[in-house]
Amino acid sequence: MLFRTTRHPVKRRRLIISLAILAILLAGTALPIGSLPPLQKLLNPETGIWAPSSPVNNLELGQQSTTIVLNGTSARVDLNIDQNGFVRIASNETWAMYFEQGYMTAKLRLTQMDFTRRLAEGNLSAIVGSSALSSDEFYRTLEMYPVATEVINNLSKSSAAYIAVSSFTAGVNSYMSSISSPSLPLLFKLLDYTPTQWKMEDTYVVQQLLTWQLSSSFDPLFFNYALEKMPENVITSLYPAYPSSVQFPMVPYSLNPAIYSESGNLKNLTLYSPTILSLNLSSFQTAALVTAPRSNNSEANSIISQLWSQLNSVRTTFHSIDDKGSNNWAVSSNLTGGGAILANDPHLSITVPPIWLGFQLVGPGENVIGVSFPGTPGIVLGHNPYIAWAATDSNVQATYFYFETLNPANSNEYMHNGQWTKFSILNESIPVAGSTPTSISVKRAINGAMIPGWNNTIALDWTGLYPSDELSALLSLDVAQNVSAAQNALTNFKVGIQNWAVADNKGNIGIFTYGYYPIIEKGNPRGVLPGNGSFDWVGSIPLSEQPHQYDPPNGFVFSANQIQVSPNYPYYIGWNFESGYRAAEIFTVLNSTYKPNVSQMEQLQLSNHDYSSNIFLKPLLSALERSNYSSIPETDTLAAWNGNMDLNSTAASIYYFWLNSYINDTFVPYLEHYNITVTEGLYGTTFFAASNAINQGPLVEDLANWTVNFPTIQWFNNPVNGEKRNATTLMVQGFHEALQELSALKGNYSQTSWQWGNIHTRYDPNLFGLPALDGPALPAPGDDNTPNAAYGINSTIGPSWRQITDMSRPLNSSFGIYPGGLSENYISPYYSNTVEDWNNGVYYTLIPSGLPPEFYYLYPGGSSSP
Amino acid sequence: MRLTSDLYFLLLVDLAACFLLSYFGVWYLAFIPSVLIGSLLKSRWLHLISFGFSGAIGAILPIFISDATARLDSGAVLAAVLGLPGGFVGPLILTAMVAFFISGLAAVVASSFRDTSPEPVAIKPKQKV
């Protein structure tokens, strides 16, 4: 018999089709999907998203011991982790203590550390793509990495800072080596990358980023804009160089006249007119500007509005830190009758994971507890057995702007001291995920870094552009044994000037606003200065004349971002300070409390009293009395109000909305009249006015002054239509609008639905901008002006760390809390576990009883060695 | 149409093989056992769907055998970040579906190849008229 072969055509078609689909499926799941990694990788049950990320399954609370070996030397480390957000480390070797701090920081916050350094070094685009390119370009101009390298090169290898940073770095890398790729935190898997080894420079870069975020301001650009658009008499009245309203200076003339004794630079400056006349801001068209979206308003293409949108892009790429204000104070033993007491609550971004990580570090001659920034060794704010210290942002001007005249024949040269001078140029390549690297030239003039994308005409001079070693100052604070030693340590703190309050166990107190204060000899530093060499920085205010107090006779020191000095201080240090209401509240309470104790200090720190109500409420009620609103329940509620922004207060809601309306009704017409429009990107900043501007900026201070002292001053009149207005008419108008707003928001007036707690919340957004991983939103008391600050209606900024320490009993009577938790891992039980306690005003005992004796080292009853 | 005991055995083998592949981090290779086993089968749809299921179950089993809670929580986080409803269920179904199609399609391919293999057909000799 003969045979032939045959194939079934239908089945062959099925084979081909199924083979094709299988091939497509395999290939498709092997390719990235947008910014996500391939599904084969992402959904891999063993190595992908299903693999538990560290440290959720290996974070053990309680006591542990381990032996660390580094460069052939070994040391024992005792570790104790508590659910209140503190990691306690004790070792008889200092290097091992910092090594373990690095190890634990990486274990708990690796993503945060990596994102922070990437942001500072201009390396975010490498993982998130071109959306972060403008951020990267901007941060590369600040040259934080080269500055960090220079700082490290200047360190002695036997210095405390070198030992701390190098050991910390080794600890971070030890942790990174110990985990497998499947155990990497969520974002590494989502963005499909593995973090590179930590370097010493990264620690300094993280610290530089923090000082940048705390000290930088673009106000001079905005202000130059105002100077050009508004007549000098308007500038003088609306934007005085010294706050026009109530302020309690941190170091008034009466308490330290010595710092006022020398003649300074203030009288040589012109603070009300532009140094650069007719600086046509809209003429600075650049490539970036041309490609940016334009509105019909030609003014919208101005350099300022473009810069503002660029800054917004920088700010929203990664939450990092927003700084609104802070409180600190110290009360001496003379006033308390016991020990000195210190209190601190820095108002920074409230995020999950939090910007802080709590540590107790015990090493030879050292036992310090407090909070640190993930990425840096040591403790930033806290106490040891001898001193407690606290910081608030000084709001001292640290950024100055210069207009550089370019050589028409060579754009790499600018005019300085009559000569064409070459920019120093650093060519950089920015890696971009999913795209080719972008090359940029970072230009540096004598007057600072040239802002990218602006035709290289505006230089930004920031004190942090030059090497300085704040970390050494902080590490010295960790081991300081009295206020004088702390004062000495702080002389090395140059950039990101803080108001440092200190209290020691001998009952002494002090406050020191030390740092590098640039001096220029003429011109208007409030605006943009010419970069021609005549307006350069010529030095810093001498240390002895910088604001400070040591054991003042009134028995307390305090700061809340108000101006540090009285009007007769002879140097220019800035002008855009906070309105001073928190400072006034703190001063009033401290000045009137007999023998203040820890409990009273807690009450003050948690106080929801808005001091601005002391100023505005009486005139408002008086105005309402003479209006159609004299006998309505809303007015009655307000009349019975005590000024507290409490959860159950209806008057608090009315007052808050009223004050916003009053500010805006008064000043927005000026912005309209002088063509400072919303599309300019300026209206909406607290500098000019904002939907929520009750806490800071000069305008609210003007308003307080005029309302009380000059209720019919011409500046109440509407400049747009010439309408005659005064404080009374505007207050009534604001009241009407407030009631309308609240009605639209919560329905008709009701004692329950209009309660502040039904309107005002705190919530903790995810640090990496992933809304699904946000912390809880909670009804919250307080507002922008209360010591227990909660800025805005949906507040994401507030007391990021609360500390009260009685230095006569620092072991038993020191309390603190930060909102969030230890871990950055969303599914960890320690991701946001302290938020509710924090919102409810709970404090944790910082060094609780029952710990192993090494954690009480240097305290009475502790072990004799770490 | 009923599954025979032989087929049950083959499905179990496929499930075990897919589990091991997944456990060792190469879950996407689930097509290999399906190809091998599928080549022994005739391409009946029920069989092929069964292999899809066995592959999918084998692939997602490692999620449940250790740290199941943490793993499912991780899946829920992914769902939340991507805006998928239903917590971990969405990513779990997605994972299972990928394994299902890889395994099932591989079985289809293999069995179809077998079905379309050349078969001897008798040629009748021409009859002499």
Side-chain angles (χ1 to χ4, degrees), chain A residues 440-462:
Chain A
I440 62 165
S441 292
V442 176
K443 290 185 177 179
R444 182 71 71 91
I446 287 172
N447 288 314
M450 306 307 294
I451 299 176
W454 307 106
N455 212 20
N456 282 313
T457 48
I458 301 283
L460 157 67
D461 215 356
W462 170 50

Side-chain angles (χ1 to χ4, degrees), chain A residues 248-529:
Chain A
F248 290 85
M250 204 184 91
V251 189
Y253 179 83
S254 59
L255 289 178
N256 192 352
I259 66 170
Y260 296 85
S261 60
E262 300 295 324
S263 61
N265 63 327
L266 199 52
K267 287 178 183 165
N268 302 325
L269 301 178
T270 51
L271 295 172
Y272 294 96
S273 55
T275 309
I276 298 177
L277 289 166
S278 304
L279 178 66
N280 186 2
L281 292 168
S282 59
S283 71
F284 298 110
Q285 303 290 333
T286 67
L289 193 150
V290 168
T291 55
R294 295 178 183 217
S295 76
N296 291 332
N297 183 343
S298 60
E299 288 292 324
N301 297 321
S302 77
I303 185 171
I304 301 292
S305 61
Q306 292 301 323
L307 183 58
W308 181 242
S309 64
Q310 186 189 30
L311 292 175
N312 270 334
S313 157
V314 172
R315 284 146 47 111
T316 54
T317 302
F318 174 57
H319 260 294
S320 203
I321 292 182
D322 258 336
D323 167 41
K324 275 283 190 179
S326 307
N327 305 318
N328 68 8
W329 62 87
V331 188
S332 76
S333 55
N334 291 338
L335 199 63
T336 64
I341 300 175
L342 177 128
N344 191 197
D345 53 304
H347 305 166
L348 306 173
S349 297
I350 305 295
T351 59
V352 277
I355 57 169
W356 300 110
L357 184 55
F359 277 102
Q360 183 183 359
L361 303 175
V362 183
E366 178 172 3
N367 188 347
V368 59
I369 185 165
V371 285
S372 71
F373 286 118
T376 61
I379 297 297
V380 177
L381 301 170
H383 75 86
N384 63 31
Y386 314 106
I387 70 160
W389 65 97
T392 65
D393 197 7
S394 67
N395 283 14
V396 163
Q397 186 171 333
T399 43
Y400 290 69
F401 288 82
Y402 290 87
F403 171 66
E404 306 293 350
T405 304
L406 302 186
N407 183 350
N410 183 351
S411 63
N412 287 330
E413 291 182 347
Y414 62 102
M415 179 60 69
H416 191 262
N417 284 338
Q419 293 184 322
W420 294 119
T421 307
K422 287 190 186 306
F423 290 113
S424 70
I425 298 177
L426 194 62
N427 292 314
E428 300 244 11
S429 175
I430 305 175
V432 183
S435 182
T436 53
T438 295
S439 298
I440 62 165
S441 292
V442 176
K443 290 185 177 179
R444 182 71 71 91
I446 287 172
N447 288 314
M450 306 307 294
I451 299 176
W454 307 106
N455 212 20
N456 282 313
T457 48
I458 301 283
L460 157 67
D461 215 356
W462 170 50
T463 50
L465 295 179
Y466 313 97
S468 64
D469 184 9
E470 282 66 41
L471 193 58
S472 290
L474 294 175
L475 293 170
S476 299
L477 270 184
D478 289 357
V479 295
Q481 298 198 1
N482 53 48
V483 174
S484 295
Q487 181 180 8
N488 191 45
L490 290 169
T491 60
N492 293 318
F493 199 95
K494 303 291 186 191
V495 182
I497 297 176
Q498 303 289 301
N499 305 309
W500 293 95
V502 189
D504 69 20
N505 61 353
K506 301 287 190 293
N508 305 305
I509 59 167
I511 195 161
F512 310 99
T513 311
Y514 286 164
Y516 189 87
Y517 291 80
I519 290 180
I520 63 168
E521 291 179 318
K522 61 180 180 177
N524 186 354
R526 298 210 287 176
V528 179
L529 295 158

Side-chain angles (χ1 to χ4, degrees), chain A residues 2 4 14 40 44-45 50, chain B residues 23 25 27 43 71 74 121 123:
Chain A
L2 296 172
R4 65 178 172 80
R14 180 198 296 170
Q40 284 180 13
N44 193 316
W50 297 107
Chain B
Y23 186 78
W27 70 308
S43 54
R71 288 168 183 271
S74 295
V121 176
I123 302 174

